Amino acid sequence: MILAIDRGNSKDKFAVFEKDSLIFSDAVEVFDELSIRKVMDDYAITDVIFSSVKDEQSDKAFFSLLKKECSDLRVLEFDRTFALPFINNYEDKQTIGLDRLAAISGASLLFGKNVLVVDAGTCITFDYLDSNNIYQGGSISLGFYTKYKALHNFTANLPLMKDVVVTPLCAKTTKDCIISGVVNGTIFEVEATIKEYKDKAKDLRVVLTGGDAKFLQENLSTTTLLQEDIVLYGLKKILDINA
């Protein structure tokens, strides 16, 4: 069995795969020593792969912890030297987020070519795999809560909001105005970006992932697919072709 771990900005997600099937997945605040031991006790893990968007010092400490707790297993830290299941046309290959590469790997595994992956978390990223299996890049924007934090931190009087809920466009309190601007503005942004891609790419499939993916899917007028574990599927695929 394979353990795949995605160390994100706000949560650590992990999944256990048996052959090509995902049999368990979860998310925790920190995938720590106790988390590792529990997974090892519950499943016959043989290989481990992880990716991270955290800082280098944190990643080194985490890799050391994995090597300690999984000393008899093969443990891989996904980096930008790994072979990928698609052609990477990104110009600055040394800076692209590993989570974005893993997400596109997962998209190619689960949905094939001509896919737009929208990852709605701390940031909202758009990543496009074209009909020739070439990753063409995308864009990075602010997620809901990041926008709330920016409004609060860079003004003197605006409160910090957290709610991601449907709100009237024309709100009548300051708190509701903030929610309306952030939530409706983000929905409009995502909707318009998807439309631009669909205008250029025939039969494009749009896949949503990330913590706010379900909310977006429920409030977008365009048809989308929901796959919350796409990064973990991608890591499993990457391990398969690099092992």
Side-chain angles (χ1 to χ4, degrees):
M1 295 183 183
I2 291 172
L3 171 62
I5 307 163
D6 171 27
R7 304 185 73 220
N9 287 302
S10 56
K11 286 188 176 181
D12 292 347
K13 303 172 187 176
F14 62 98
V16 176
F17 293 87
E18 184 171 17
K19 295 183 179 178
D20 291 329
S21 299
L22 187 154
I23 60 175
F24 178 77
S25 67
D26 200 359
V28 293
E29 293 298 324
V30 179
F31 194 77
D32 56 12
E33 187 174 346
L34 292 178
S35 301
I36 297 170
R37 290 180 178 177
K38 183 173 183 350
V39 173
M40 295 303 162
D41 288 342
D42 291 344
Y43 302 96
I45 303 297
T46 58
D47 300 271
V48 181
I49 184 170
F50 81 93
S51 71
S52 175
V53 296
K54 299 183 187 293
D55 62 87
E56 184 178 353
Q57 183 177 355
S58 174
D59 289 342
K60 284 183 177 179
F62 184 71
F63 188 51
S64 296
L65 176 63
L66 280 178
K67 294 290 286 184
K68 173 187 173 185
E69 297 297 326
C70 312
S71 57
D72 57 340
L73 308 180
R74 176 167 47 189
V75 179
L76 299 179
E77 178 182 3
F78 174 43
D79 63 39
R80 297 174 184 87
T81 66
F82 279 44
L84 300 167
F86 54 84
I87 299 168
N88 187 0
N89 198 34
Y90 203 76
E91 289 184 4
D92 193 356
K93 293 180 175 59
Q94 299 307 310
T95 65
I96 184 171
L98 297 173
D99 54 337
R100 296 173 69 191
L101 293 176
I104 287 294
S105 298
S108 69
L109 171 67
L110 297 173
F111 303 101
K113 306 170 186 176
N114 202 30
V115 182
L116 178 68
V117 177
V118 183
D119 191 340
T122 303
C123 297
I124 297 179
T125 57
F126 300 84
D127 289 289
Y128 175 49
L129 182 70
D130 72 14
S131 57
N132 295 311
N133 200 41
I134 301 173
Y135 171 56
Q136 297 290 3
S139 58
I140 303 172
S141 185
L142 301 177
F144 291 104
Y145 187 61
T146 308
K147 290 178 180 177
Y148 283 141
K149 286 179 67 177
L151 286 171
H152 175 67
N153 291 340
F154 293 105
T155 63
N157 298 309
L158 293 181
L160 177 62
M161 305 304 296
K162 296 182 180 181
D163 300 327
V164 179
V165 294
V166 177
T167 304
L169 183 63
C170 187
K172 299 185 183 300
T173 70
T174 299
K175 289 183 178 181
D176 284 346
C177 283
I178 295 171
I179 296 172
S180 176
V182 168
V183 173
N184 291 314
T186 302
I187 291 171
F188 298 156
E189 174 191 357
V190 173
E191 193 96 63
T193 303
I194 290 173
K195 182 180 182 301
E196 287 293 313
Y197 275 99
K198 283 194 167 185
D199 287 345
K200 297 176 182 179
K202 185 179 179 181
D203 300 323
L204 178 74
R205 281 166 292 184
V206 179
V207 181
L208 302 180
T209 191
D212 293 313
K214 189 173 182 181
F215 174 82
L216 276 179
Q217 186 180 49
E218 292 171 349
N219 291 281
L220 293 174
S221 61
T222 189
T223 301
T224 60
L225 303 166
L226 184 67
Q227 179 47 261
E228 296 174 336
D229 294 320
I230 197 167
V231 170
L232 298 169
Y233 274 100
L235 288 174
K236 192 268 180 187
K237 177 65 176 178
I238 289 166
L239 186 145
D240 285 345
I241 63 179
N242 285 274

